[in-house]
Each structure stands twice: as C-alpha cells, then as structure tokens.
Amino acid sequence: QVSDALAKEGPSSPSYDWFQTDSLVTIVIYTKQKDINLDSIIVDHQDNSFRAETVIKDFSYIIHVGLSHEVEEDISVRVVENVGKIEIVLKKKETTSWKHLGHPLENHNSLIPRKDTGLYYRKCQLISKEGVTHDTKLFCLMLPPSAHLQVPTGQHVYLKLTITGTEIVKPYTPVSDFLLSEFKEPVLLNNKYIYFLIKVYPDGLFTPELDHLQIGDSVSVSNPEGNFKTSQFQELEDLFLLAAGTGFTPMAKILNYALTNIPSLRKVKLMFFNKTEDDIIWRSQLEKLAFKDKRFDVEFVLSAPTSEWNGKRGHISPALLSEFLKRSLDKSKVLICICGPTPFTEQGMRLLHELNFSKDEIHSFTA
Ligand code: FAD
Ligand code: NAD
C-alpha cells in the first residue's frame, strides 16, 4: 500500500491495472507524470517473479508480483509520454484466462524513496570484449530478453561477481555506442546491449576477474544510480568536460546527449588528462568527431609524456583551466563536468571555485 506520509512528501502516487486477451497480459502503469520516457521504467521477470520499477524524480513506484501463470521470456515495454502511461506486454505460455495477476511480493504497489529501494540485479551475458588501449577494454553485456533497462546519461550501475565465494560489487558507467559507430559496423542499436569501458588493474580485486570471464558467462548488473540530471543542460551554451583516465566514461554519453539534444549549445570542449599517449581512450574517434562537428573540441594533456609529445603536459592546474574555460559569449550559460581519480577531482573542484564558477555550474562525478 502507498503510505499517506510518503504520498504527501513525494509525487502523487501512480496506480496500475492489467488486462488480458487469449495470448497476452498487459500491465498498465498510470504514472500521473508527463516527463516519463523509456529510461524511467525498469522491468524484470526472473524465476516467475515480475518486477517493474518506475522512477519518478527521487521516488520509485514498484509493481512486484509472483505471476499466477507462466509467461514467455520476452517482454515489451511502451511509453505513451504525453499521458505518462506505461504498457508492459507479457505473452502467456498457455491461452487460459487468468483470474488474478499474481500474489504481491516485496514493496508491491508502493511508492518509496529511491534510496530505500536497494540494488536490484539481473544476470547479463558477456557478448564481447575488445581491447581499446593497452589496459582498457570495451565490454558488451546483453540484458536477458525478460528485462527492460536503459541507463540514463550521467548515471552508473553496479556490476557484481562472486569471487572465491564472496560477492564483489563495483560501480561502472556505461558508454553509448555513438563514438563506437565511428569505426565499428554494424552497430548493435538494440537497447538490449550495454557497453562498458573498463580499465583492468592487474592487482585489482574485481577487474582481473571480469577480464577472465569467457564470452557467454554472466555478470549481474544493478539498476542505475547517480545524481546527474539532463535538466542541467537546459538552455546550456558552453559545456566543458574535464576527464582523467577512465573518468572519461560519463563524458561519452554526455557528449552524445548534448550534441544531439541541446539546441542552445554553442561549444563543447573536452580536456582529457592521461599519463601517456597510449593511455588515451578513443583518441581517433574524438579527433574525428572534433573534425566533423565544429561545436566540439578536444585537448589532450599528458602527465608522463615521451619527449616527442608536442601537446599540453602536467596535471590539472590554474594555468590549464583558466585558458581552457573561456566562455563563447560574455555571459553564456556554462556547465563544467569533472571526473577522474579522487585527488584529480578534488583539486579540480578547488580550482573551479577559485575561478569563481558557482555550484550550479559544476557537476562532479564521485563515488
Ligand atoms: P581495486 O582492487 O580497487 O584496485 C585498483 C588499483 O588501486 C590497483 O592498482 C590496486 O593495486 C590499487 N589499490 C587498491 N587499494 C589501494 C590502496 N589502499 N592504496 C593504494 N593503491 C591501492 N572504472 C572503469 O574502468 N570504468 C568505468 O566506467 C568506471 N565507472 C565508475 C563509476 C563510479 C561512480 C565510480 C565510483 C567508479 C568507477 N570506476 C570505473 C572505477 C571502478 O569502480 C573500480 O574502482 C575499478 O574498476 C577498480 O576496481 P578493482 O577492484 O579492479 O581494483
Ligand atoms: P590514471 O592513473 O591513468 O590517471 C589519469 C590522469 O589523472 C593522470 O594523467 C593525471 O593527470 C590525473 N591524476 C592522477 N592522479 C592524480 C593526482 N594525485 N592529482 C592530480 N591529478 C591526478 O587514472 P585511471 O587509473 O584511469 O583512474 C581513473 C579514476 O576515475 C578511477 O579512480 C575511477 O574510480 C574514477 N572514475 C570515477 C567515475 C565516477 O563516476 N565517479 C567514473 C569513472 C572513473
């Protein structure tokens, strides 16, 4: 049941209903919200338990039932955006008439704060793994046909593996296939695939195990998390991205989103900090994109370059930032995103405040 207290604090509570034909069961969620899209709904059907989580601002509305009859593995999800209606279609295994949808499970038909939902996992299959740099690989995972999950721009998920009897969980930020498509054909555009750029640390706890998985092996993937909101892009004119090492991962989707969805955008600049040239992730794709889209520029800064390197050198510094962070117009609306090793991000944040950028103009990606 939706508690009155929560309903008062949060958005007005959604409701649901279900309908059937001989072959289909359709579950309809009335969200009572207008800004609902396919990122807002996460659906799973595992071990006869059906779960649908609708994300509404900082709350989740959960449908969670043990279905009364068996259904086929594949599900389909549709969102009618202007009325905030979500339709989930299940295929009956047998053409019998269902008397009820099923029995309620944990949190069924309740609206709860997102932070209280706990991490929910589904098993995904490793589809491919390919080298991107000497130590970073692109992993492609496939969702089960019984799941619908899209990771919003700027958010991450947790990957879980059981290593010598213990469950180990680490956060990773999916990248879009937008930069990939520059060189990889055909691109798997189907939403069933999630791509990750992951650096393998030989003495790390999690990444060597992930790297040892065989194609077809499974990895558990959690629901998305994170406090970045694409509403931060509203009316944006200048977007500055400061990334170090794999701190580039949130920037990949941000770049794609900003360049395709923000009409007010004039300039996107990426300053990408790495140790050596060999460490730069997707260098040629980024250079090609800068060539193709005049709004985008990329600058590489190396902390341990060879003597042949003609570009910028060193760590993040006042000199580098004040030169880089030039607004395209005197009062243009800016957003600066920063992500990398903790000391990099902390130092960067300090410098940005010293340069008089306000809290609203900065988004830092941290643990
Ligand atoms: P760890 O066991 O954590 O070790 C990593 C390295 O640190 C090793 O070289 C190890 O020797 C060294 N080390 C460990 N402990 C210490 C210590 N006490 N002192 C000094 N050195 C130590 N990573 C990506 O590659 N891609 C992503 O998309 C990505 N997204 C992320 C998103 C978020 C929100 C966060 C917080 C992190 C993200 N990371 C990402 C980092 C990722 O979660 C892991 O931290 C990383 O993969 C290392 O995990 P590991 O268990 O293999 O290594
Ligand atoms: P790395 O060791 O290869 O370093 C890359 C660059 O970071 C260096 O060239 C340097 O310019 C800068 N740097 C490193 N240490 C610094 C320091 N002490 N002070 C100032 N600058 C420093 O980086 P990596 O191994 O690829 O690590 C990437 C980091 O990004 C990891 O710690 C990972 O957890 C983090 N990350 C966070 C998120 C997130 O969303 N929070 C996402 C992805 C990655």
Side-chain angles (χ1 to χ4, degrees):
Q1 285 305 309
V2 178
S3 101
D4 282 350
L6 286 178
K8 267 181 209 138
E9 271 174 48
S12 66
S13 184
S15 60
Y16 82 102
D17 206 347
W18 66 284
F19 308 97
Q20 61 183 317
T21 64
D22 278 352
S23 57
L24 304 175
V25 169
T26 303
I27 298 167
V28 183
I29 300 168
Y30 304 97
T31 67
K32 301 176 189 155
Q33 304 290 318
K34 290 229 165 84
D35 51 355
I36 292 294
N37 57 46
L38 281 169
D39 283 2
S40 321
I41 170 82
I42 302 159
V43 183
D44 291 279
H45 176 237
Q46 341 190 47
D47 312 323
N48 226 33
S49 132
F50 173 87
R51 190 178 183 279
E53 179 169 341
T54 308
V55 177
I56 303 168
K57 300 190 173 79
D58 295 330
F59 288 79
S60 279
Y61 174 67
I62 293 170
I63 302 290
H64 196 186
V65 289
L67 295 175
S68 62
H69 294 71
E70 285 191 50
V71 295
E72 301 288 349
E73 245 202 313
D74 57 319
I75 53 155
S76 66
V77 178
R78 218 166 67 88
V79 171
V80 190
E81 291 192 20
N82 54 350
V83 290
K85 188 169 84 167
I86 297 166
E87 288 178 351
I88 304 159
V89 183
L90 309 173
K91 291 183 191 144
K92 290 181 181 176
K93 269 205 173 147
E94 286 165 16
T95 58
T96 45
S97 171
W98 293 19
K99 292 206 170 53
H100 58 283
L101 185 61
H103 58 276
L105 297 172
E106 194 189 358
N107 293 327
H108 175 57
N109 196 22
S110 59
L111 180 70
I112 54 178
R114 260 187 102 181
K115 58 176 172 42
D116 299 341
T117 53
L119 286 174
Y120 189 84
Y121 289 89
R122 70 284 303 145
K123 277 195 171 158
C124 293
Q125 218 182 46
L126 179 66
I127 295 298
S128 64
K129 176 177 75 172
E130 48 183 276
V132 172
T133 69
H134 62 101
D135 58 5
T136 300
K137 294 183 180 170
L138 181 72
F139 291 83
C140 175
L141 300 184
M142 185 175 68
L143 286 163
S146 55
H148 168 90
L149 166 69
Q150 293 182 180
V151 182
T153 297
Q155 296 197 12
H156 54 269
V157 293
Y158 293 85
L159 299 186
K160 181 166 80 176
L161 285 175
T162 302
I163 302 171
T164 55
T166 309
E167 285 188 343
I168 308 286
V169 167
K170 295 267 167 146
Y172 294 94
T173 317
V175 293
S176 53
D177 46 21
F178 142 84
L179 281 166
L180 246 88
S181 59
E182 293 282 320
F183 76 123
K184 222 179 110 161
E185 291 292 343
V187 178
L188 303 166
L189 281 173
N190 186 319
N191 282 327
K192 288 285 168 200
Y193 299 91
I194 311 181
Y195 294 91
F196 296 92
L197 278 170
I198 296 178
K199 177 163 165 177
V200 178
Y201 296 87
D203 50 357
L205 183 61
F206 188 83
T207 50
E209 292 293 326
L210 185 72
D211 193 32
H212 288 145
L213 293 181
Q214 304 292 311
I215 302 305
D217 282 352
S218 59
V219 184
S220 294
V221 177
S222 79
N223 285 3
E225 242 187 26
N227 54 11
F228 184 83
K229 294 195 169 67
T230 49
S231 58
Q232 291 170 259
F233 290 136
Q234 254 166 37
E235 308 297 320
L236 193 68
E237 293 172 278
D238 293 328
L239 175 61
F240 298 106
L241 308 173
L242 301 169
T246 57
F248 168 71
T249 54
M251 310 306 179
K253 271 198 191 181
I254 284 180
L255 253 177
N256 181 20
Y257 187 93
L259 290 171
T260 40
N261 295 302
I262 312 299
S264 53
L265 196 72
R266 306 165 62 85
K267 201 78 216 163
V268 183
K269 285 168 76 176
L270 167 67
M271 189 170 256
F272 196 178
F273 296 81
N274 284 281
K275 294 198 287 274
T276 70
E277 276 185 272
D278 291 344
D279 294 315
I280 304 175
I281 295 169
W282 284 351
R283 176 179 181 174
S284 72
Q285 286 90 319
L286 289 166
E287 286 172 338
K288 266 193 214 154
L289 179 66
F291 182 77
K292 220 172 65 182
D293 192 324
K294 291 299 159 216
R295 295 170 299 169
F296 175 63
D297 281 332
V298 57
E299 191 143 17
F300 302 107
V301 183
L302 301 183
S303 58
T306 59
S307 54
E308 287 102 72
W309 176 249
N310 292 322
K312 294 213 154 53
R313 294 160 179 259
H315 277 188
I316 193 164
S317 68
L320 280 174
L321 289 189
S322 50
E323 189 197 327
F324 180 68
L325 299 167
K326 294 248 166 64
R327 294 175 197 250
S328 63
L329 288 174
D330 244 10
K331 288 199 171 128
S332 55
K333 187 177 176 212
V334 300
L335 179 68
I336 305 166
C337 296
I338 181 164
C339 187
T342 307
F344 166 87
T345 308
E346 284 176 352
Q347 199 176 334
M349 292 292 284
R350 253 194 324 272
L351 297 174
L352 292 173
H353 290 306
E354 280 166 24
L355 288 167
N356 287 325
F357 288 99
S358 69
K359 272 207 181 99
D360 293 347
E361 292 173 324
I362 307 169
H363 185 92
S364 71
F365 291 87
T366 49

